[in-house]
Amino acid sequence: MTAEITIREASDPQRTTALSRVLRSPRTRGGLLLMGLVAVLALLGPLLAPNAASAIVGSPFEAPSFALPFGTDNLGRDVLSRFLWGGRSLIIMSLCAAVIGVAIGAVLGLLAAYVGSWGDLIMMRGMDVLLAFPTVIFALLFISTFGTSVLLLVSVVAIAQIPGTARVVRGASRAAVDGEFVLWARGVGLSTPRILVGEILPTVVSPLMVELGLRLMWAVGALSALSFLGYGIQPPTADWGLMINENRNGLSVQPMAVIPPMVAIALFTVGGNLFAEGVARVIGRTDRKASA
């Protein structure tokens, strides 16, 4: 036990410096910058919008002008104002869905790897059943039954992300379950939650961060797709995915009604992926140095 405590104390400074290394990574800072810019624009956009999101300010599909920098949409509403109003719900809902889905999936994956045997088999077969349903059909099943609401949309997208995360975390933590530090923790009588959180979870931080970035990107795409299909945020509420659907028929006439939300969605998802991948690489290098 004394040797184990000595090893932990020696490795703590390595883990402490991981945060500073993360912040110095160009990939991480680039991803954080992209996400931050889009998030700030989405959160503060309504304060900067020159018009109300649903206000009719001109004829349908007017070209950009000095008074209307992005022109008008299919109903004659100010595209700039709807763009500034439309990002808040998408960003907040995507973050909530990704965090909830990854958190629940990580817990199930850790439990499956730690329990093993029949417990592992039952949980993973349950995840396989969820994976068997196509995501869009799974979402449409609940939406068509219970209607569209923010809570339902977030819940459906979060649930759809649980199986993939659980399988990734379970596979990444299997080696750690048989490690000496876990055997030591069991030997001294630590509770299962303390072993999972304090001993096994730190070993899967790297793949978990990558998974969070991928799931965030997927959540943004899924919620945008549902809005595009008409099953997400409902008009006249402004939403980036809904804007693309409403104005796609006029793309050749007034492309600015579609381009801004498309660019914003792309920048945010790419930034989230870059940030998570940068964090994972830095933590992976730190863990390898600590174990050397």
Side-chain angles (χ1 to χ4, degrees):
M1 184 172 71
T2 303
E4 180 67 25
I5 294 175
T6 303
I7 293 174
R8 291 177 180 279
E9 291 177 348
S11 63
D12 282 343
Q14 297 284 351
R15 296 187 182 276
T16 302
T17 59
L19 178 60
S20 61
R21 293 182 180 180
V22 165
L23 296 178
R24 290 199 301 267
S25 170
R27 184 184 297 269
T28 302
R29 287 189 291 186
L32 187 61
L33 177 62
L34 288 177
M35 282 200 310
L37 289 175
V38 178
V40 169
L41 177 65
L43 295 176
L44 300 182
L47 302 177
L48 306 174
N51 299 292
S54 301
I56 305 295
V57 297
S59 302
F61 293 130
E62 284 189 13
S65 62
F66 179 78
L68 301 170
F70 288 175
T72 62
D73 67 359
N74 63 320
L75 296 180
R77 297 168 296 190
D78 182 13
V79 173
L80 175 60
S81 296
R82 287 186 65 78
F83 171 69
L84 293 174
W85 278 95
R88 178 182 294 180
S89 59
L90 177 63
I91 299 302
I92 295 176
M93 290 168 61
S94 299
L95 286 172
C96 291
V99 171
I100 293 172
V102 170
I104 297 176
V107 171
L108 293 177
L110 290 173
L111 278 174
Y114 183 75
V115 172
S117 188
W118 285 102
D120 179 19
L121 181 63
I122 292 173
M123 281 190 280
M124 287 301 101
R125 295 298 78 78
M127 296 299 101
D128 290 341
V129 171
L130 288 177
L131 282 173
F133 289 94
T135 303
V136 175
I137 296 178
F138 178 78
L140 294 181
L141 174 64
F142 284 90
I143 293 172
S144 61
T145 303
F146 300 104
T148 58
S149 68
V150 172
L151 180 60
L152 179 64
L153 290 171
V154 172
S155 301
V156 168
V157 173
I159 292 173
Q161 299 186 81
I162 292 174
T165 302
R167 296 191 69 86
V168 169
V169 174
R170 179 243 188 191
S173 58
R174 283 177 66 92
V177 169
D178 297 326
E180 293 182 359
F181 54 94
V182 174
L183 296 177
W184 170 84
R186 285 177 170 176
V188 298
L190 293 182
S191 63
T192 297
R194 289 189 62 183
I195 294 176
L196 293 177
V197 175
E199 308 296 334
I200 302 177
L201 180 60
T203 66
V204 298
V205 168
S206 179
L208 192 59
M209 290 301 298
V210 174
E211 191 70 10
L212 179 60
L214 294 174
R215 296 301 166 182
L216 176 60
M217 180 176 62
W218 185 90
V220 172
L223 289 170
S224 300
L226 288 174
S227 295
F228 178 82
L229 293 173
Y231 293 95
I233 299 296
Q234 297 298 303
T237 304
D239 178 80
W240 287 346
L242 182 60
M243 288 179 65
I244 298 173
N245 180 39
E246 290 176 334
N247 302 293
R248 58 190 174 87
N249 292 329
L251 183 60
S252 59
V253 179
Q254 220 296 63
M256 289 303 295
V258 175
I259 291 176
M262 289 179 59
V263 172
I265 292 172
L267 288 178
F268 187 78
T269 54
V270 170
N273 194 31
L274 285 175
F275 176 74
E277 185 178 351
V279 171
R281 290 189 178 190
V282 171
I283 293 178
R285 289 196 297 267
T286 302
D287 288 344
R288 286 195 295 270
K289 290 180 181 178
S291 62

